[in-house]
Amino acid sequence: MNLHPQRYARVLTIAGSDSGGGAGIQSDLKTFAALGCYGMSAITALTAQNTVGVQGIHAVPASFLKAQIQSVMDDIGADALKIGMLHEPGIVEVVAWAIDHYNIRQVVLDPVMVATSGDRLIAQETVQVLVRELFPRVSVVTPNLDEAQLLLGQPIANAQALDAAAQGLLAMGAKAVLLKGGHLVGDEVVDVLVQAQGPSRRLASARIPSRNVHGTGCTLSSAIAAHLALGHGLEDAVVLARTFILSAIEQGAQVQTGQGHGPLNHGFAPQPLRRLAAADQA
């Protein structure tokens, strides 16, 4: 007799902890829950962080990150993986090992390098390792404008330059890139999705005035991972995730949390945990 006919859609986040709750592991888990997925975490670093900035970073040893991943994957498994803050080369190498060892096929990489407050969150020597080890292994890379400029080593001046920049990131070995243009000036926000084997797409929406944009990148990449875990293709997952984050920004725009950049409203319309057939166990 099968005692486990169903399971939850499972998403693992490998990222840093935000003590203020607006970004990192905390926003990832809130997003997974809001979209009806069972969230798990492996923490790469602890941060002393709030709405005005990052006051300190305490790194987790690579060996303990590996132990966290093994503990989760050997027991529960995951349908999708979201990768966030990776602060040093040894951490990147552990994540690359995990993707290969557990054959994780749906992987979203948010190359966290600069916080909303402007604080630098990754050492320069880690960037090359991240590109070499993870770009070819993941389903999609989701840099914002600052991160794309750092990766490419050149400025991105306007929305017209987004397509060429995204193609440049694709040429660095990624299978797909969602380049987020939210940091560009203007009343419209334009994002560009390009794929090595698939169509490109420009996604535009009216800018929502709000100071509460801390954790937008974490939330978007987590929402993409959640929708991949629920069985959507990449393009649909990006569109659905973008719809979610626009509503989360709008629903949190009038709320004050802290003295700086507050969080989104992740829980504006929570979904029940989605149950999938146990036969689909990955």
Side-chain angles (χ1 to χ4, degrees):
M1 179 179 177
N2 187 355
L3 299 179
H4 303 286
Q6 295 180 321
R7 63 174 180 82
Y8 297 125
R10 308 154 298 170
V11 193
L12 170 64
T13 171
I14 302 176
S17 168
D18 173 3
S19 56
I25 290 283
Q26 287 80 358
S27 71
D28 296 343
L29 294 175
K30 291 173 186 177
T31 302
F32 299 155
L35 294 173
C37 292
Y38 180 77
M40 303 157 288
S41 64
I43 297 176
T44 61
L46 307 176
T47 68
Q49 186 175 173
N50 53 30
T51 64
V52 297
V54 179
Q55 293 78 46
I57 299 176
H58 181 72
V60 171
S63 59
F64 191 69
L65 173 65
K66 185 175 183 179
Q68 293 178 75
I69 296 170
Q70 289 176 306
S71 182
V72 169
M73 293 299 299
D74 289 345
D75 178 35
I76 303 170
D79 300 295
L81 169 64
K82 177 264 170 82
I83 304 167
M85 178 182 175
L86 306 176
H87 56 278
E88 57 97 7
I91 292 288
V92 176
E93 289 165 1
V94 166
V95 175
W97 167 85
I99 293 170
D100 291 348
H101 183 76
Y102 293 106
N103 191 29
I104 308 173
R105 295 183 291 274
Q106 305 284 13
V107 185
V108 180
L109 171 62
D110 183 19
V112 177
M113 298 176 184
V114 183
T116 302
S117 59
D119 293 284
R120 180 75 176 264
L121 298 174
I122 188 172
Q124 182 61 40
E125 59 268 23
T126 307
V127 175
Q128 290 182 339
V129 180
L130 185 145
V131 170
R132 183 183 72 240
E133 296 296 329
L134 294 185
F135 271 39
R137 286 179 162 90
V138 306
S139 307
V140 62
V141 184
T142 65
N144 63 27
L145 204 68
D146 292 337
E147 291 154 354
Q149 290 175 147
L150 192 153
L151 286 164
L152 293 168
Q154 63 187 47
I156 302 170
N158 50 48
Q160 289 68 43
L162 288 174
D163 294 275
Q167 291 292 338
L169 293 168
L170 205 64
M172 296 173 73
K175 298 173 186 174
V177 174
L178 176 65
L179 177 53
K180 300 170 293 187
H183 289 180
L184 291 171
V185 176
D187 295 331
E188 189 176 57
V189 175
V190 179
D191 303 329
V192 175
L193 174 66
V194 297
Q195 302 180 71
Q197 296 182 340
S200 298
R201 182 164 180 178
R202 287 173 71 87
L203 301 158
S205 57
R207 187 179 299 276
I208 301 168
S210 177
R211 280 180 57 81
N212 299 328
V213 292
H214 181 52
T216 50
C218 302
T219 300
L220 179 61
S221 55
S222 295
I224 295 170
H227 284 297
L228 290 173
L230 291 167
H232 297 284
L234 178 59
E235 186 174 347
D236 287 343
V238 168
V239 171
L240 289 166
R242 205 171 180 277
T243 299
F244 171 78
I245 197 168
L246 290 172
S247 295
I249 293 171
E250 184 175 28
Q251 294 295 323
Q254 303 304 317
V255 181
Q256 181 171 346
T257 306
Q259 304 306 308
H261 296 285
L264 315 180
N265 183 346
H266 295 88
F268 69 92
Q271 300 294 311
L273 274 174
R274 285 279 302 277
R275 299 183 185 187
L276 306 178
D280 294 335
Q281 186 84 13

